[in-house]
Amino acid sequence: MQKMLKRTKIVATIGPATETEEVIGQLIDAGMNVARFNTKHGTPEWHRERVQRVRKVAAEKGLPVAVLLDLQGPEIRVDLRDGQAFSVRDGEEVFFTFNKQSTEEKVIFIPENVVDTLQIGNFVLLDDGACEFEIVKKEDDFLMAKALGDFEVKTRKTMNTPGIVIDMPSLIDPDRVQLDGAVETGVDFVGLSFVRDKEDIKILRDELDKRGLKDTSIVAKIENQSALDNLDEIINASDAVMVARGDLAVEVPFEQLAFWQKLIITKCRLAGKPVITATQMLKSMVESPRPTRAEVSDVANAVYDSTDAVMLSEETTIGKFPVKAVETQAKIAAFNEEYETSYLDEWEDETDPSLVAHAAVYLMQNEENSIDSVVCLTETGNTVNLLTRFRPKVDVHALTSNELTYRKLALNYGVIPHIVEFAGGKIEEPNAMVEILKEKGIVKSGETVLVIYGTIWKTPGLTNSLSIVHVK
């Protein structure tokens, strides 16, 4: 029987350091459950070929590995004259403009609508907050800003405007090109950057539908104030959520970041939506074989917050120790999960699957039952989502005949997905079903198994039954 060494899942970003089949296999062995592809870098052809490699290696290992295509979204990147970086001193003034004919010595080129929107007294941050400016003067075609510190300004770095909403489309043309490129291989999740409200989710869902990708799940990335203001509707409209702490940490005061992380994770659990905690979790391992103490605490804290998954970015795209970074996250998660106490006393839905999931948790918490594992039959994964939000301390074996559901459930905390086939029709005898699972090695003799199922196999929405079975 496949036994889970950790219940928290790991999302690892594929890049130059990890693009070969050999290293992809090593990442899976180390604990990668979801392979992320960042479309800010690479062509659709590059991503398509690497997605195929992930699919091939995962199939050879007989393990579910989901694919997350992370769209760039409408981020603002600055341009410099001839791409040349320059240094500024505290209090020095620089110009922000859309006029490429500007003759100012230290000038930063930005879109016209950004110049139009910003006002005197607003703050501008570049390069994930490494450069901070305050707008001190505004004219029709430029902004004058005062540097708040000594730093170097580099070209093509991101620009953030904390507290100021810039009118920009939710998807840009390169995003649509990447979606076109995903049609051939298919992807399990699509990440939507800089989500502001549920309408952004709808726009992406419509684009997926147009391409025959309607069953692909949407991961809403929470990384600006608008998303926080509309958090509940975004969670409800999406299929999963990412706490994207890179941009979020410069959009809100940094002292608030841990608060928002905990709140987002809790709200996702209440709604039964998987949640990923991301950005710079083990960044020092880009260069070092060991994480810092603060990074170890950061990963552990996400586990204690009850996140479904933790993510690696530069650590596995360009890092010197990508496999070790995954192993490190896995070790931290596996140890701390045993001491995490997760309470969830409220839930938002009263559907049959939700009530069945809650009843299952009650049975697991009753020590007299001594449940060793859970087996849940699912077609869409919905019942599993509702169950695992309670973070059970035993393995949850999700049985499905749907390949897409099989891979998607790789993101859920504590879930071991399996592809199985049962005869169609009514399921009347869970003991007979468990015997089949024993033959497949999913359960074993002597175990006490909690089985969650519906009376009709492969029919979504009919999960309504629980049985405790002692495997002979």
Side-chain angles (χ1 to χ4, degrees):
M1 180 180 68
Q2 181 185 350
K3 186 71 176 176
M4 183 168 290
L5 300 178
K6 62 173 176 59
R7 296 190 175 93
T8 305
K9 301 305 181 70
I10 293 176
V11 181
T13 309
I14 303 300
T18 49
E19 63 180 326
T20 66
E21 290 185 13
E22 178 184 6
V23 179
I24 289 170
Q26 292 171 357
L27 293 177
I28 295 172
D29 292 341
M32 178 182 75
N33 306 102
V34 180
R36 172 179 175 256
F37 292 85
N38 184 358
T39 62
K40 292 178 185 177
H41 312 285
T43 64
E45 292 74 25
W46 187 94
H47 291 296
R48 182 166 58 247
E49 184 175 334
R50 275 71 183 174
V51 168
Q52 290 171 338
R53 292 178 190 175
V54 170
R55 299 278 199 230
K56 177 175 181 287
V57 175
E60 289 171 350
K61 291 181 175 293
L63 294 172
V65 178
V67 168
L68 165 60
L69 187 73
D70 202 336
L71 301 179
Q72 176 177 336
E75 67 180 1
I76 306 168
R77 288 187 178 262
V78 301
D79 287 314
L80 305 182
R81 184 180 292 118
D82 299 324
Q84 295 298 308
F86 60 82
S87 298
V88 296
R89 303 298 299 272
D90 186 28
E92 188 175 357
E93 293 177 339
V94 302
F95 288 81
F96 287 83
T97 183
F98 55 86
N99 180 10
K100 293 296 180 73
Q101 306 305 315
S102 174
T103 58
E104 299 294 340
E105 180 183 359
K106 295 187 176 180
V107 59
I108 300 171
F109 298 111
I110 58 176
E112 183 174 356
N113 67 326
V114 179
V115 174
D116 292 341
T117 302
L118 293 176
Q119 303 296 328
I120 294 172
N122 292 159
F123 292 91
V124 171
L125 289 86
L126 306 182
D127 197 4
D128 288 339
C131 310
E132 186 174 6
F133 299 90
E134 179 182 2
I135 306 300
V136 295
K137 182 179 180 180
K138 177 172 181 174
E139 297 292 343
D140 289 343
D141 63 345
F142 74 86
L143 303 166
M144 183 183 291
K146 178 177 66 175
L148 303 179
D150 301 339
F151 42 75
E152 185 178 30
V153 178
K154 300 176 183 177
T155 194
R156 300 304 299 158
K157 294 300 180 180
T158 55
M159 174 178 177
N160 295 88
T161 57
I164 306 300
V165 178
I166 307 295
D167 184 17
M168 300 181 73
S170 60
L171 294 173
I172 58 176
D173 289 342
D175 293 333
R176 292 182 172 84
V177 172
Q178 293 285 356
L179 290 176
D180 291 339
V183 171
E184 180 182 337
T185 57
V187 294
D188 308 302
F189 298 94
V190 172
L192 182 59
S193 298
F194 306 103
V195 177
R196 293 160 295 192
D197 53 36
K198 64 182 181 182
E199 291 305 315
D200 289 343
I201 304 290
K202 182 180 183 302
I203 289 169
L204 175 55
R205 210 171 288 284
D206 289 344
E207 292 292 334
L208 291 171
D209 287 352
K210 291 177 186 175
R211 294 165 174 80
L213 300 171
K214 67 181 182 68
D215 292 326
T216 300
S217 291
I218 295 175
V219 179
K221 298 172 65 178
I222 308 300
E223 49 193 337
N224 56 40
Q225 186 62 52
S226 294
L228 297 177
D229 293 340
N230 299 301
L231 187 57
D232 290 338
E233 70 173 48
I234 290 172
I235 291 172
N236 289 333
S238 61
D239 304 299
V241 168
M242 182 187 295
V243 188
R245 304 181 305 174
D247 282 284
L248 186 60
V250 295
E251 287 284 335
V252 302
F254 60 80
E255 66 271 18
Q256 296 182 13
L257 186 60
F259 164 80
W260 286 112
Q261 175 175 312
K262 294 175 188 298
L263 181 65
I264 294 166
I265 291 172
T266 300
K267 283 181 173 290
C268 287
R269 291 181 60 207
L270 286 170
K273 303 292 178 75
V275 57
I276 305 164
T277 303
T279 317
Q280 296 183 348
M281 301 208 83
L282 297 176
K283 190 174 181 183
S284 72
M285 291 192 72
V286 171
E287 297 290 340
S288 170
R290 292 179 63 86
T292 67
R293 290 155 184 80
E295 288 169 339
V296 172
S297 296
D298 185 32
V299 176
N301 182 58
V303 172
Y304 288 116
D305 286 345
S306 296
T307 191
D308 281 270
V310 289
M311 195 174 97
L312 297 167
S313 298
E314 301 103 316
E315 301 95 333
T316 53
T317 55
I318 59 172
K320 295 178 180 177
F321 308 96
V323 176
K324 198 162 190 177
V326 174
E327 292 173 342
T328 299
Q329 271 197 335
K331 287 179 182 178
I332 297 169
F335 178 85
N336 289 282
E337 286 162 0
E338 298 306 313
Y339 301 96
E340 182 265 340
T341 53
S342 177
Y343 300 101
L344 196 66
D345 297 326
E346 302 175 15
W347 57 96
E348 297 180 354
D349 48 280
E350 297 291 339
T351 62
D352 282 348
S354 177
L355 296 174
V356 168
H358 187 257
V361 172
Y362 176 80
L363 291 173
M364 282 187 278
Q365 292 173 343
N366 186 333
E367 293 183 2
E368 293 181 5
N369 296 318
S370 298
I371 303 297
D372 294 303
S373 64
V374 176
V375 170
C376 182
L377 277 64
T378 183
E379 184 67 13
T380 64
N382 181 50
T383 302
V384 176
N385 285 336
L386 296 171
L387 174 66
T388 57
R389 62 180 169 177
F390 294 100
R391 303 300 187 251
K393 292 294 186 181
V394 298
D395 292 343
V396 176
H397 295 276
L399 312 185
T400 184
S401 62
N402 186 307
E403 286 275 355
L404 184 57
T405 299
Y406 168 70
R407 293 193 301 269
K408 284 183 183 179
L409 288 174
L411 178 61
N412 286 70
Y413 179 95
V415 175
I416 304 174
H418 305 269
I419 284 285
V420 297
E421 284 291 350
F422 294 111
K426 191 174 182 181
I427 298 175
E428 296 181 345
E429 182 49 66
N431 287 283
M433 178 172 59
V434 167
E435 279 300 311
I436 297 173
L437 301 181
K438 186 174 115 176
E439 294 173 6
K440 293 178 178 291
I442 295 173
V443 300
K444 61 184 180 181
S445 297
E447 285 189 330
T448 299
V449 179
L450 177 61
V451 184
I452 306 172
Y453 59 101
T455 52
I456 306 298
W457 173 237
K458 296 187 181 182
T459 303
L462 295 183
T463 302
N464 57 9
S465 303
L466 295 169
S467 293
I468 296 177
V469 178
H470 302 285
V471 186
K472 297 179 181 179

